[in-house]
Amino acid sequence: MREWMTRITFSTRGGSVQYTDVAIPLGHAWSSPFAKWQGSLAEVSSLDLAVAVTQQALAHRGVDPAVLDGVVLGWTVPQRDIFYGAPTLAARLGATGLSGPMVSQACATSVAALHAAAGAVGAGAGPQLVVATDRISNGPTLSWPAPSGMGGAPVTSHWVLDSFARDPWAGAGMLAAAEAVAAEMGAGRSELDDLTALRWEQYAAGLADDRAFQRRYQVPVEIPQRKGSLTLDADEGIRPKTRDGIAGLPPAAAEALHTFASQTHPADGCAGAVVTTAARARELSGEGIVRILGSGFARVAKSRMPKAPVPAARSALQAAGLDFGDVQAITTHNPFAVNDLYFARETGVKPEAMNTYGCSLVFGHPQGPTGLRSVAELIEELRLRGGGIGLFTGCAAGDTGAALVLEVTD
């Protein structure tokens, strides 16, 4: 029997997990390009997108769905037939006997899905397929019965827009959370604009040599349609965020410091990975592996979401027995520029030392797959460096953060 151990420790404001013998085969983490809100993928079900992208990703990597032992499906915006999501996805990929959990944890969905897959592998399961997919475009409007209301009229809510606008526990929206943190740390508009311009320059570096870096992990979208096919082979709707170009933008709200440049935009997309043991990962990759060392989840004060990536990162690093000084590369999910500004001040990590090839502030935020794309970018950056320790961390839903520590080795 294979020996394994997964150690779990929890704090009063979050939790951390240390993994041993859990890995991603090198090259087996991927993402589609991200499409702008109401853009090319606006009428494509995120389940259909997941099938198309995952089929290509597995085929290109020579992974037969028959070798998989489970699937973890991450999503945050309901689609038609999502009730049957995980087993339907598996069946459409040719793995008719495969199933597994569905995970929905706002912007932390990718880390939560990898966390679930790593737990299954640690408990003795075979290779797990992780797929995170979301279509923020054309979000559903829900009608809730209210028979005791005036005339029995139902209560309605828009799944996407109402979630953006208000955290039901804190009573404030996401922009308000970002502005509150910026005010508390004494950040100025110029600092936020400078960081935004830096992130654009880093993203642009990933476009060099005909997008050489992005092509290392991106899977083009190809979906047959009645007439021809829908093809998306690069990020859509990306606007340059140069310092001169954003300086004159109005604030996103009255007296706000953030503009529509220094916050991310909703998007549609899909990402995935294979998670298994170190030995099996070597077999599948034919070369090196990506060890998953630890994950961390944290909460901070009410409606202080941009602060949450810091304790989440510390929690994940502590679980892995590491500190910030041990990390060679960092990627973050930063829907607002203040996220990375706060992270830099609290940890001592310089802003230019994070997100070497861009981040969600620039390439957009389809929620579920956002973190997994950043994990794929983190892995590829470490491959170019010849290996090393990497950290991904990001915020989620009001006051929450999630982080993952990994090592590219062999």
Side-chain angles (χ1 to χ4, degrees):
M1 180 179 294
R2 180 175 61 85
E3 295 183 358
W4 58 271
M5 177 184 74
T6 299
R7 186 176 72 190
I8 303 176
T9 58
F10 289 100
S11 71
T12 58
R13 301 190 68 81
S16 61
V17 181
Q18 178 192 57
Y19 309 100
T20 64
D21 199 20
V22 177
I24 297 171
L26 200 60
H28 287 56
W30 60 85
S31 173
S32 74
F34 285 176
K36 66 179 180 180
W37 201 21
Q38 302 303 125
S40 294
L41 301 179
E43 297 184 33
V44 177
S45 164
S46 64
L47 285 174
D48 291 343
L49 177 64
V51 172
V53 170
T54 308
Q55 280 179 334
Q56 288 194 69
L58 295 179
H60 181 71
R61 289 157 179 79
V63 177
D64 185 345
V67 308
L68 301 170
D69 195 38
V71 59
V72 181
L73 175 61
W75 59 269
T76 74
V77 180
Q79 305 287 281
R80 295 183 68 175
D81 300 325
I82 195 67
F83 185 87
Y84 300 93
T88 296
L89 171 64
R92 292 179 64 184
L93 293 173
T96 55
L98 210 63
S99 188
M102 293 191 286
V103 177
S104 180
Q105 195 175 346
C107 319
T109 295
S110 285
V111 173
L114 290 167
H115 168 81
V121 170
Q128 303 290 300
L129 173 65
V130 176
V131 177
T133 188
D134 259 328
R135 186 186 73 191
I136 311 304
S137 298
N138 297 319
T141 297
L142 305 183
S143 178
W144 308 96
S148 60
M150 183 177 295
V155 176
T156 62
S157 63
H158 191 282
W159 185 280
V160 171
L161 298 181
D162 287 352
S163 297
F164 286 172
R166 181 176 175 272
D167 171 359
W169 184 59
M174 297 180 186
L175 178 60
E179 291 298 312
V181 173
E184 289 171 359
M185 63 184 293
R189 164 74 185 263
S190 62
E191 290 179 283
L192 300 178
D193 286 354
D194 287 345
L195 190 141
T196 300
L198 169 64
R199 294 293 179 252
W200 164 254
E201 293 169 1
Q202 292 170 313
Y203 176 83
L207 303 178
D209 300 323
D210 191 27
R211 298 175 47 248
F213 178 77
Q214 291 185 353
R215 292 182 189 280
R216 296 175 66 90
Y217 68 88
Q218 278 194 359
V219 178
V221 176
E222 297 179 4
I223 300 178
Q225 296 189 318
R226 292 180 180 178
K227 295 182 179 180
S229 63
L230 186 157
T231 302
L232 183 70
D233 59 6
D235 291 332
E236 177 185 77
I238 309 301
R239 296 182 179 182
K241 297 174 182 278
T242 63
R243 191 63 176 83
D244 290 342
I246 63 180
L249 291 177
E255 299 182 2
L257 295 173
H258 289 86
T259 68
F260 286 106
S262 50
Q263 61 179 300
T264 192
H265 61 276
D268 306 327
C270 176
V274 174
V275 179
T276 185
T277 63
R280 194 73 177 96
R282 287 191 184 92
E283 293 176 7
L284 291 172
S285 74
E287 45 178 333
I289 62 173
V290 184
R291 291 186 179 275
I292 300 178
L293 304 180
S295 63
F297 297 85
R299 293 188 71 180
V300 290
K302 182 182 292 188
S303 195
R304 295 299 185 271
M305 180 178 66
K307 294 183 177 182
V310 173
R314 286 176 172 151
S315 183
L317 286 167
Q318 183 179 19
L322 300 169
D323 204 346
F324 288 106
D326 301 308
V327 176
Q328 282 76 55
I330 298 174
T331 57
T332 66
H333 163 49
N334 48 353
F336 298 94
V338 72
N339 284 51
D340 282 357
L341 195 62
Y342 180 83
F343 188 92
R345 289 195 186 182
E346 289 294 307
T347 65
V349 176
K350 295 181 179 180
E352 58 269 25
M354 301 180 276
N355 299 312
T356 302
Y357 295 98
C359 57
S360 56
L361 183 65
V362 178
F363 58 61
H365 181 26
Q367 295 182 178
T370 304
L372 198 43
R373 170 171 172 163
S374 291
V375 168
E377 290 201 346
L378 179 63
I379 292 169
E380 294 306 318
E381 179 182 351
L382 288 169
R383 290 180 74 179
L384 291 173
R385 289 171 175 262
I389 304 294
L391 166 69
F392 165 75
T393 189
C395 66
D399 56 30
T400 306
L404 190 78
V405 178
L406 50 81
E407 179 184 19
V408 173
T409 185
D410 297 335

